[in-house]
Structures are given as C-alpha cells and as structure tokens.
Coordinates of all heavy atoms in Angstrom, one line a residue:
M20 N 0.8 -1.2 0.0 CA 0.0 0.0 0.0 C 0.9 1.3 0.0 O 1.9 1.2 0.6 CB -0.9 0.0 1.3 CG -1.9 1.0 1.3 SD -3.1 0.9 0.0 CE -3.9 2.4 0.0
A21 N 0.4 2.3 -0.7 CA 1.2 3.5 -0.8 C 1.2 4.2 0.6 O 0.3 4.2 1.3 CB 0.5 4.4 -1.8
N22 N 2.3 5.0 0.8 CA 2.4 5.7 2.1 C 2.3 7.2 1.8 O 2.0 7.9 2.8 CB 3.8 5.3 2.7 CG 3.8 3.9 3.3 OD1 2.8 3.5 3.8 ND2 4.9 3.2 3.1
H23 N 2.7 7.7 0.7 CA 2.7 9.1 0.5 C 1.3 9.6 0.2 O 0.5 8.9 -0.4 CB 3.5 9.5 -0.7 CG 5.0 9.3 -0.5 ND1 5.8 10.0 0.3 CD2 5.8 8.2 -1.0 CE1 7.0 9.6 0.3 NE2 7.0 8.4 -0.4
K24 N 1.1 10.9 0.7 CA -0.2 11.4 0.6 C -0.7 11.5 -0.9 O -1.8 11.3 -1.3 CB -0.4 12.8 1.2 CG -1.6 13.2 1.8 CD -1.5 14.5 2.6 CE -2.8 14.8 3.2 NZ -2.8 16.1 3.8
S25 N 0.3 12.0 -1.7 CA 0.0 12.2 -3.2 C -0.3 10.8 -3.9 O -1.1 10.7 -4.8 CB 1.2 12.9 -3.8 OG 2.3 12.1 -3.7
A26 N 0.4 9.8 -3.4 CA 0.2 8.5 -4.1 C -1.2 7.9 -3.6 O -1.9 7.3 -4.5 CB 1.2 7.5 -3.6
L27 N -1.7 8.2 -2.5 CA -3.0 7.8 -2.0 C -4.1 8.5 -2.8 O -5.0 8.0 -3.3 CB -3.2 8.0 -0.6 CG -2.4 7.2 0.4 CD1 -2.5 7.7 1.8 CD2 -2.8 5.7 0.3
K28 N -3.8 9.9 -3.1 CA -4.7 10.6 -3.8 C -4.8 10.2 -5.3 O -5.9 10.0 -5.9 CB -4.3 12.1 -3.9 CG -5.3 13.0 -4.6 CD -4.8 14.4 -4.6 CE -5.7 15.3 -5.4 NZ -5.3 16.7 -5.3
R29 N -3.6 9.8 -5.8 CA -3.5 9.3 -7.3 C -4.3 8.0 -7.3 O -5.0 7.8 -8.4 CB -2.0 9.1 -7.6 CG -1.8 8.5 -9.0 CD -2.3 9.3 -10.0 NE -1.7 10.6 -10.1 CZ -2.3 11.6 -10.9 NH1 -3.4 11.5 -11.5 NH2 -1.7 12.8 -10.8
I30 N -4.3 7.1 -6.3 CA -5.0 5.8 -6.3 C -6.5 6.2 -6.4 O -7.3 5.5 -7.2 CB -4.7 5.0 -5.1 CG1 -3.2 4.4 -5.3 CG2 -5.6 3.8 -5.0 CD1 -2.6 3.8 -4.0
R31 N -7.0 7.1 -5.5 CA -8.4 7.4 -5.6 C -8.8 8.0 -6.9 O -9.9 7.6 -7.4 CB -8.7 8.5 -4.4 CG -8.6 8.0 -3.1 CD -9.1 8.9 -2.1 NE -8.7 10.2 -2.1 CZ -7.6 10.7 -1.5 NH1 -6.9 10.0 -0.7 NH2 -7.3 12.0 -1.6
Q32 N -8.0 8.8 -7.5 CA -8.4 9.5 -8.8 C -8.4 8.4 -9.9 O -9.3 8.5 -10.7 CB -7.4 10.5 -9.2 CG -7.3 11.8 -8.4 CD -6.2 12.8 -8.8 OE1 -5.2 12.3 -9.2 NE2 -6.5 14.0 -8.6
N33 N -7.4 7.5 -9.9 CA -7.3 6.5 -10.9 C -8.6 5.6 -10.8 O -9.2 5.3 -11.9 CB -6.1 5.6 -10.8 CG -4.9 6.3 -11.2 OD1 -4.9 7.3 -12.0 ND2 -3.8 5.8 -10.7
E34 N -9.1 5.2 -9.6 CA -10.2 4.4 -9.4 C -11.5 5.1 -9.9 O -12.3 4.6 -10.6 CB -10.4 4.0 -7.9 CG -11.6 3.1 -7.8 CD -11.5 1.7 -8.4 OE1 -10.5 1.4 -9.0 OE2 -12.6 1.1 -8.4
A35 N -11.6 6.4 -9.6 CA -12.8 7.2 -10.0 C -12.9 7.3 -11.5 O -13.8 7.2 -12.2 CB -12.7 8.6 -9.4
R36 N -11.7 7.5 -12.1 CA -11.7 7.7 -13.6 C -12.0 6.4 -14.3 O -12.6 6.3 -15.4 CB -10.3 8.2 -14.0 CG -10.1 9.7 -13.7 CD -8.8 10.2 -14.1 NE -8.7 11.6 -13.8 CZ -7.6 12.2 -13.2 NH1 -6.5 11.5 -13.0 NH2 -7.6 13.4 -12.9
R37 N -11.4 5.3 -13.7 CA -11.7 4.0 -14.3 C -13.1 3.6 -14.3 O -13.7 3.1 -15.3 CB -10.9 2.8 -13.5 CG -11.0 1.4 -14.0 CD -10.3 0.5 -13.1 NE -11.1 0.2 -11.9 CZ -12.0 -0.6 -11.8 NH1 -12.4 -1.4 -12.8 NH2 -12.7 -0.9 -10.6
L38 N -13.9 3.9 -13.2 CA -15.3 3.7 -13.1 C -16.1 4.6 -14.1 O -17.0 4.1 -14.7 CB -15.8 3.9 -11.7 CG -15.3 2.8 -10.7 CD1 -15.8 3.2 -9.3 CD2 -15.7 1.5 -11.0
R39 N -15.6 5.8 -14.2 CA -16.3 6.7 -15.2 C -16.1 6.2 -16.6 O -17.0 6.2 -17.3 CB -15.7 8.1 -15.0 CG -16.5 9.2 -15.7 CD -16.0 10.5 -15.4 NE -15.8 10.8 -14.0 CZ -14.6 11.2 -13.5 NH1 -13.5 11.4 -14.2 NH2 -14.5 11.5 -12.2
N40 N -14.8 5.8 -16.9 CA -14.5 5.3 -18.3 C -15.4 4.1 -18.6 O -15.8 3.9 -19.7 CB -13.0 5.1 -18.5 CG -12.3 6.4 -18.6 OD1 -12.9 7.4 -18.8 ND2 -11.0 6.4 -18.3
R41 N -15.5 3.2 -17.6 CA -16.2 1.9 -17.8 C -17.7 2.3 -18.1 O -18.3 1.7 -19.0 CB -16.2 1.0 -16.5 CG -15.0 0.1 -16.5 CD -15.0 -0.7 -15.3 NE -16.2 -1.6 -15.2 CZ -16.5 -2.3 -14.2 NH1 -15.8 -2.2 -13.1 NH2 -17.6 -3.1 -14.2
Y42 N -18.3 3.3 -17.4 CA -19.6 3.7 -17.6 C -19.9 4.2 -19.0 O -20.7 3.8 -19.7 CB -20.0 4.7 -16.5 CG -21.4 5.4 -16.9 CD1 -22.5 4.6 -16.6 CD2 -21.5 6.6 -17.4 CE1 -23.7 5.2 -16.9 CE2 -22.6 7.2 -17.7 CZ -23.9 6.5 -17.5 OH -25.1 7.0 -17.8
Y43 N -19.0 5.1 -19.5 CA -19.0 5.6 -20.8 C -18.9 4.6 -21.9 O -19.6 4.6 -22.8 CB -18.0 6.7 -21.0 CG -18.1 8.0 -20.2 CD1 -17.0 8.8 -19.8 CD2 -19.4 8.5 -19.9 CE1 -17.2 9.9 -19.1 CE2 -19.6 9.6 -19.2 CZ -18.4 10.3 -18.8 OH -18.6 11.5 -18.1
H44 N -17.9 3.6 -21.7 CA -17.8 2.6 -22.7 C -18.9 1.7 -22.7 O -19.4 1.3 -23.8 CB -16.4 1.8 -22.3 CG -15.8 1.1 -23.3 ND1 -14.6 0.4 -23.2 CD2 -16.2 0.8 -24.6 CE1 -14.3 -0.2 -24.4 NE2 -15.4 0.0 -25.2
K45 N -19.5 1.3 -21.6 CA -20.7 0.4 -21.6 C -21.9 1.1 -22.3 O -22.6 0.4 -22.9 CB -20.9 0.0 -20.2 CG -22.1 -1.0 -20.0 CD -21.7 -2.3 -20.6 CE -22.9 -3.3 -20.4 NZ -22.7 -4.5 -21.2
T46 N -22.1 2.4 -22.0 CA -23.2 3.1 -22.5 C -23.0 3.1 -24.1 O -24.0 2.9 -24.8 CB -23.2 4.6 -22.0 OG1 -23.3 4.5 -20.6 CG2 -24.4 5.3 -22.5
A47 N -21.8 3.3 -24.6 CA -21.6 3.4 -26.0 C -21.9 2.0 -26.6 O -22.5 1.9 -27.7 CB -20.2 3.8 -26.3
R48 N -21.4 0.9 -26.0 CA -21.6 -0.4 -26.5 C -23.1 -0.7 -26.6 O -23.6 -1.4 -27.5 CB -20.9 -1.4 -25.6 CG -19.4 -1.5 -25.8 CD -18.9 -2.8 -25.3 NE -19.2 -3.2 -23.9 CZ -18.4 -2.9 -22.9 NH1 -17.2 -2.4 -23.1 NH2 -18.8 -3.3 -21.7
T49 N -23.9 -0.3 -25.6 CA -25.3 -0.5 -25.5 C -26.0 0.2 -26.7 O -26.9 -0.4 -27.3 CB -26.0 -0.1 -24.2 OG1 -25.2 -0.7 -23.1 CG2 -27.4 -0.4 -24.1
A50 N -25.5 1.5 -26.9 CA -26.1 2.2 -28.0 C -25.8 1.6 -29.4 O -26.6 1.5 -30.2 CB -25.5 3.7 -28.0
L51 N -24.5 1.0 -29.6 CA -24.1 0.4 -30.7 C -25.0 -0.8 -31.0 O -25.5 -1.1 -32.1 CB -22.7 -0.1 -30.7 CG -21.6 1.0 -30.8 CD1 -20.3 0.4 -30.4 CD2 -21.5 1.5 -32.2
K52 N -25.2 -1.6 -29.9 CA -26.0 -2.8 -30.1 C -27.5 -2.5 -30.5 O -28.1 -3.1 -31.3 CB -26.0 -3.6 -28.8 CG -26.6 -5.0 -28.8 CD -26.4 -5.6 -27.5 CE -27.0 -7.0 -27.6 NZ -26.9 -7.8 -26.3
A53 N -28.0 -1.4 -29.9 CA -29.4 -1.1 -30.2 C -29.5 -0.6 -31.7 O -30.4 -0.9 -32.4 CB -29.8 0.1 -29.3
L54 N -28.4 0.2 -32.2 CA -28.5 0.6 -33.5 C -28.3 -0.6 -34.5 O -28.9 -0.7 -35.6 CB -27.4 1.6 -33.8 CG -27.3 2.3 -35.1 CD1 -28.6 2.9 -35.5 CD2 -26.2 3.2 -35.3
R55 N -27.5 -1.6 -34.2 CA -27.2 -2.7 -35.1 C -28.5 -3.5 -35.2 O -28.8 -4.1 -36.2 CB -26.1 -3.6 -34.5 CG -24.7 -3.0 -34.7 CD -23.6 -4.1 -34.4 NE -22.3 -3.5 -34.5 CZ -21.5 -3.4 -33.5 NH1 -21.8 -3.9 -32.4 NH2 -20.4 -2.8 -33.7
N56 N -29.2 -3.6 -34.0 CA -30.5 -4.4 -34.1 C -31.7 -3.7 -34.6 O -32.7 -4.3 -34.7 CB -30.8 -4.9 -32.6 CG -29.7 -5.9 -32.2 OD1 -29.1 -6.6 -32.9 ND2 -29.5 -6.0 -30.8
E57 N -31.5 -2.5 -34.9 CA -32.7 -1.7 -35.4 C -33.1 -2.1 -36.9 O -32.2 -2.2 -37.7 CB -32.3 -0.2 -35.5 CG -33.5 0.8 -35.8 CD -34.6 0.7 -34.8 OE1 -34.4 0.9 -33.6 OE2 -35.8 0.4 -35.3
E58 N -34.3 -2.4 -37.0 CA -34.8 -2.8 -38.3 C -35.5 -1.7 -39.2 O -35.4 -1.7 -40.4 CB -35.9 -3.9 -38.2 CG -35.3 -5.2 -37.6 CD -34.2 -5.9 -38.5 OE1 -34.3 -5.8 -39.6 OE2 -33.3 -6.5 -37.8
N59 N -36.0 -0.6 -38.5 CA -36.6 0.4 -39.1 C -35.6 1.5 -39.5 O -34.8 2.0 -38.7 CB -37.6 1.1 -38.1 CG -38.5 2.2 -38.7 OD1 -38.3 2.5 -39.9 ND2 -39.2 2.8 -37.9
K60 N -35.6 1.8 -40.8 CA -34.6 2.7 -41.4 C -34.6 4.1 -40.8 O -33.7 4.7 -40.5 CB -34.7 2.7 -42.9 CG -33.5 3.6 -43.5 CD -33.3 3.4 -44.9 CE -32.2 4.3 -45.4 NZ -31.3 3.8 -46.4
S61 N -35.9 4.6 -40.7 CA -36.0 6.0 -40.2 C -35.5 6.1 -38.8 O -34.9 7.1 -38.4 CB -37.5 6.4 -40.4 OG -38.3 5.6 -39.6
A62 N -35.8 5.2 -37.9 CA -35.3 5.2 -36.6 C -33.8 5.1 -36.5 O -33.1 5.7 -35.7 CB -36.0 4.0 -35.8
A63 N -33.3 4.2 -37.4 CA -31.8 4.0 -37.4 C -31.1 5.3 -37.9 O -30.1 5.8 -37.4 CB -31.4 2.9 -38.3
V64 N -31.6 6.0 -38.9 CA -31.1 7.3 -39.4 C -31.2 8.3 -38.3 O -30.2 9.1 -38.1 CB -31.9 7.7 -40.7 CG1 -31.5 9.1 -41.0 CG2 -31.6 6.8 -41.8
E65 N -32.2 8.2 -37.4 CA -32.3 9.2 -36.4 C -31.3 8.9 -35.2 O -30.7 9.8 -34.6 CB -33.7 9.0 -35.7 CG -34.2 10.3 -35.1 CD -35.7 10.2 -34.7 OE1 -36.6 10.2 -35.6 OE2 -35.9 9.9 -33.5
Q66 N -30.9 7.6 -35.0 CA -30.1 7.2 -34.0 C -28.6 7.4 -34.4 O -27.8 7.7 -33.5 CB -30.2 5.7 -33.6 CG -31.4 5.5 -32.8 CD -31.5 4.0 -32.4 OE1 -30.9 3.1 -33.1 NE2 -32.3 3.6 -31.5
L67 N -28.3 7.3 -35.7 CA -26.9 7.3 -36.1 C -26.1 8.5 -35.7 O -25.0 8.3 -35.2 CB -26.9 7.1 -37.7 CG -25.4 6.9 -38.2 CD1 -24.8 5.7 -37.8 CD2 -25.6 7.0 -39.7
P68 N -26.6 9.7 -35.8 CA -25.7 10.8 -35.4 C -25.5 10.8 -33.9 O -24.3 11.2 -33.5 CB -26.5 12.1 -35.7 CG -27.6 11.6 -36.7 CD -27.8 10.2 -36.5
K69 N -26.4 10.3 -33.1 CA -26.2 10.3 -31.7 C -25.0 9.3 -31.3 O -24.2 9.5 -30.5 CB -27.4 9.9 -30.9 CG -28.5 11.0 -31.1 CD -29.8 10.5 -30.5 CE -30.9 11.6 -30.8 NZ -32.2 11.1 -30.5
V70 N -25.0 8.1 -32.0 CA -24.1 7.1 -31.7 C -22.7 7.5 -32.2 O -21.7 7.4 -31.5 CB -24.4 5.7 -32.4 CG1 -23.4 4.8 -32.3 CG2 -25.8 5.3 -31.8
I71 N -22.7 8.2 -33.4 CA -21.4 8.7 -33.9 C -20.8 9.7 -33.0 O -19.6 9.8 -32.7 CB -21.6 9.3 -35.3 CG1 -21.8 8.1 -36.4 CG2 -20.4 10.1 -35.7 CD1 -22.1 8.6 -37.7
S72 N -21.7 10.6 -32.4 CA -21.1 11.6 -31.4 C -20.6 10.9 -30.2 O -19.6 11.3 -29.7 CB -22.4 12.5 -31.0 OG -22.0 13.4 -30.0
L73 N -21.3 9.9 -29.7 CA -20.8 9.2 -28.6 C -19.4 8.6 -28.9 O -18.5 8.7 -28.0 CB -21.7 8.0 -28.3 CG -22.7 8.1 -27.2 CD1 -23.6 6.9 -27.1 CD2 -22.1 8.4 -25.8
L74 N -19.2 7.9 -30.0 CA -18.0 7.4 -30.4 C -16.8 8.5 -30.5 O -15.7 8.2 -30.1 CB -18.1 6.6 -31.7 CG -18.9 5.3 -31.7 CD1 -19.1 4.8 -33.1 CD2 -18.2 4.3 -30.8
D75 N -17.1 9.6 -31.1 CA -16.2 10.7 -31.2 C -15.8 11.2 -29.8 O -14.6 11.4 -29.6 CB -16.8 11.8 -32.0 CG -16.8 11.6 -33.5 OD1 -16.1 10.7 -34.0 OD2 -17.7 12.2 -34.2
K76 N -16.7 11.3 -28.9 CA -16.3 11.6 -27.5 C -15.4 10.6 -26.9 O -14.5 11.0 -26.2 CB -17.6 11.9 -26.7 CG -18.4 13.1 -27.0 CD -19.6 13.3 -26.2 CE -20.5 14.4 -26.8 NZ -21.8 14.4 -26.2
L77 N -15.7 9.3 -27.1 CA -14.9 8.3 -26.4 C -13.5 8.4 -27.0 O -12.5 8.2 -26.3 CB -15.5 7.0 -26.7 CG -16.8 6.6 -25.9 CD1 -17.2 5.2 -26.2 CD2 -16.6 6.8 -24.4
A78 N -13.3 8.6 -28.3 CA -12.1 8.6 -28.9 C -11.3 9.9 -28.4 O -10.1 9.9 -28.2 CB -12.2 8.6 -30.4
K79 N -12.0 11.1 -28.3 CA -11.3 12.2 -27.8 C -10.8 12.1 -26.4 O -9.7 12.6 -26.2 CB -12.4 13.3 -27.8 CG -11.8 14.7 -27.5 CD -12.9 15.8 -27.6 CE -12.4 17.2 -27.2 NZ -13.4 18.1 -27.3
K80 N -11.5 11.3 -25.6 CA -11.1 11.0 -24.2 C -10.1 9.9 -24.1 O -9.8 9.5 -23.0 CB -12.3 10.8 -23.3 CG -13.2 12.1 -23.2 CD -14.4 11.7 -22.3 CE -15.3 12.9 -22.2 NZ -16.5 12.7 -21.5
N81 N -9.7 9.3 -25.2 CA -8.7 8.1 -25.2 C -9.4 6.9 -24.5 O -8.7 6.1 -24.0 CB -7.4 8.5 -24.7 CG -6.6 9.3 -25.5 OD1 -6.7 9.2 -26.8 ND2 -5.9 10.3 -25.0
I82 N -10.7 6.8 -24.5 CA -11.3 5.6 -23.9 C -11.3 4.5 -24.9 O -11.0 3.4 -24.6 CB -12.8 5.9 -23.4 CG1 -12.6 7.0 -22.3 CG2 -13.5 4.6 -23.0 CD1 -14.0 7.5 -21.9
I83 N -11.5 4.9 -26.3 CA -11.2 3.9 -27.4 C -10.3 4.6 -28.3 O -10.1 5.9 -28.3 CB -12.6 3.4 -28.1 CG1 -13.2 4.7 -28.6 CG2 -13.5 2.7 -27.1 CD1 -14.4 4.3 -29.5
H84 N -9.6 3.8 -29.0 CA -8.6 4.4 -30.1 C -9.4 5.1 -31.2 O -10.6 4.7 -31.6 CB -7.9 3.2 -30.7 CG -6.6 3.7 -31.3 ND1 -6.6 4.0 -32.7 CD2 -5.3 3.9 -30.9 CE1 -5.4 4.4 -33.0 NE2 -4.6 4.4 -31.9
K85 N -8.8 6.1 -31.8 CA -9.5 6.9 -32.8 C -9.8 6.1 -34.0 O -10.8 6.3 -34.7 CB -8.7 8.2 -33.2 CG -7.4 7.9 -33.8 CD -6.6 9.2 -34.2 CE -5.3 8.8 -34.8 NZ -4.8 9.9 -35.7
N86 N -8.9 5.2 -34.4 CA -9.2 4.3 -35.6 C -10.3 3.3 -35.2 O -11.1 3.1 -36.2 CB -7.9 3.5 -35.9 CG -6.8 4.4 -36.5 OD1 -7.0 5.6 -36.7 ND2 -5.6 3.9 -36.7
K87 N -10.4 2.9 -34.1 CA -11.6 1.9 -33.8 C -12.8 2.7 -33.9 O -13.8 2.2 -34.4 CB -11.4 1.4 -32.3 CG -12.6 0.5 -32.0 CD -12.4 0.0 -30.5 CE -13.6 -0.7 -30.1 NZ -13.5 -2.2 -30.4
A88 N -12.9 4.0 -33.5 CA -14.0 4.8 -33.6 C -14.4 5.0 -35.0 O -15.6 4.9 -35.4 CB -13.9 6.2 -32.9
S89 N -13.4 5.3 -35.8 CA -13.6 5.5 -37.3 C -14.2 4.2 -37.9 O -15.1 4.3 -38.8 CB -12.4 5.9 -38.0 OG -11.9 7.1 -37.5
N90 N -13.6 3.1 -37.5 CA -14.1 1.8 -38.1 C -15.5 1.5 -37.8 O -16.4 1.1 -38.6 CB -13.2 0.6 -37.6 CG -11.8 0.7 -38.3 OD1 -11.6 1.2 -39.5 ND2 -10.8 0.1 -37.7
L91 N -15.9 1.8 -36.5 CA -17.3 1.5 -36.0 C -18.2 2.4 -36.8 O -19.3 2.0 -37.1 CB -17.3 1.7 -34.5 CG -16.6 0.6 -33.7 CD1 -16.6 1.0 -32.2 CD2 -17.5 -0.6 -33.8
K92 N -17.8 3.7 -36.9 CA -18.7 4.7 -37.6 C -18.9 4.3 -39.0 O -20.0 4.3 -39.5 CB -18.1 6.1 -37.5 CG -18.1 6.7 -36.1 CD -17.7 8.1 -36.2 CE -16.3 8.4 -36.6 NZ -15.9 9.8 -36.4
S93 N -17.9 3.8 -39.7 CA -18.0 3.4 -41.1 C -18.9 2.2 -41.2 O -19.9 2.2 -42.0 CB -16.6 3.0 -41.6 OG -16.7 2.5 -42.9
K94 N -18.7 1.2 -40.3 CA -19.6 0.0 -40.4 C -21.1 0.3 -40.1 O -22.0 -0.2 -40.8 CB -19.1 -1.0 -39.4 CG -17.8 -1.7 -39.9 CD -17.4 -2.8 -38.8 CE -16.0 -3.3 -39.3 NZ -15.5 -4.2 -38.2
L95 N -21.2 1.2 -39.1 CA -22.7 1.6 -38.7 C -23.3 2.3 -39.9 O -24.5 2.2 -40.2 CB -22.6 2.4 -37.4 CG -22.4 1.6 -36.2 CD1 -22.2 2.6 -35.0 CD2 -23.5 0.7 -35.9
T96 N -22.5 3.3 -40.5 CA -23.1 4.0 -41.6 C -23.5 3.0 -42.8 O -24.6 3.2 -43.4 CB -22.1 5.1 -42.1 OG1 -21.8 5.9 -41.0 CG2 -22.7 5.9 -43.2
K97 N -22.6 2.1 -43.1 CA -22.9 1.2 -44.1 C -24.2 0.4 -43.8 O -25.1 0.0 -44.6 CB -21.8 0.2 -44.3 CG -20.6 0.8 -45.2 CD -19.5 -0.3 -45.3 CE -18.4 0.3 -46.1 NZ -17.3 -0.7 -46.3
H98 N -24.3 -0.1 -42.4 CA -25.5 -0.8 -42.0 C -26.7 -0.1 -42.2 O -27.7 -0.6 -42.7 CB -25.3 -1.2 -40.6 CG -26.4 -1.8 -39.9 ND1 -26.9 -3.1 -40.2 CD2 -27.3 -1.3 -39.0 CE1 -28.0 -3.3 -39.5 NE2 -28.2 -2.3 -38.8
V99 N -26.7 1.2 -41.8 CA -27.9 2.0 -41.9 C -28.3 2.3 -43.3 O -29.5 2.3 -43.6 CB -27.7 3.4 -41.0 CG1 -28.8 4.4 -41.3 CG2 -27.6 3.1 -39.5
N100 N -27.3 2.6 -44.1 CA -27.6 2.8 -45.6 C -28.1 1.5 -46.2 O -28.8 1.7 -47.2 CB -26.4 3.4 -46.3 CG -26.0 4.8 -45.9 OD1 -26.9 5.5 -45.4 ND2 -24.7 5.1 -46.1
G101 N -27.8 0.4 -45.7 CA -28.2 -0.9 -46.4 C -29.7 -1.3 -45.9 O -30.2 -2.2 -46.5
L102 N -30.2 -0.6 -44.9 CA -31.5 -1.1 -44.5 C -32.5 -0.7 -45.6 O -32.4 0.4 -46.2 CB -31.9 -0.3 -43.2 CG -31.1 -0.8 -41.9 CD1 -31.5 0.1 -40.7 CD2 -31.4 -2.2 -41.6
A103 N -33.6 -1.5 -45.6 CA -34.6 -1.2 -46.7 C -35.7 -0.5 -46.1 O -36.0 -0.4 -45.0 CB -35.1 -2.6 -47.2

C-alpha cells in the first residue's frame, strides 16, 4: 500500500476515472447494439448521429482508439444505408 499522501490521492483518482470510463464505454456499447439491431430505417437514421457523437467523444477522451471509432462509424453507416 502507498504511504505518500500524493500516491493515495492518485489511487483514488485512478479508481474514479476507471469507473467513469467503464460507464461511458458500456453506454456506447449498448447504443451500438441497439443501432445494429434496429430494423426500421427511419429510426436508425435518427439514432446514427447520436451514436457517432458518442464514439467521437470516447475517442477524444482516449477511452477507445480513434481508428476503432472510425471503423465503427464506417460499419454503422454502411449498415444504416443498407436497411430497406
């Protein structure tokens, strides 16, 4: 266990950030799943900008890699455009 006051504070900060990042990541995964399972094109078109915005925010905060965000956005856009 750490003995320095600053090290104890760093441990508390890291844990708080880890939990916050887990929450953001899980929320994005749930939104992705909902969009992938959407059958209605108009609803999917409505959801797409929100999901893309979520992915951009995650990439900006380094929760996911920027290339992963780009790949997901590309796949989702193709999926939505392919809906009948």
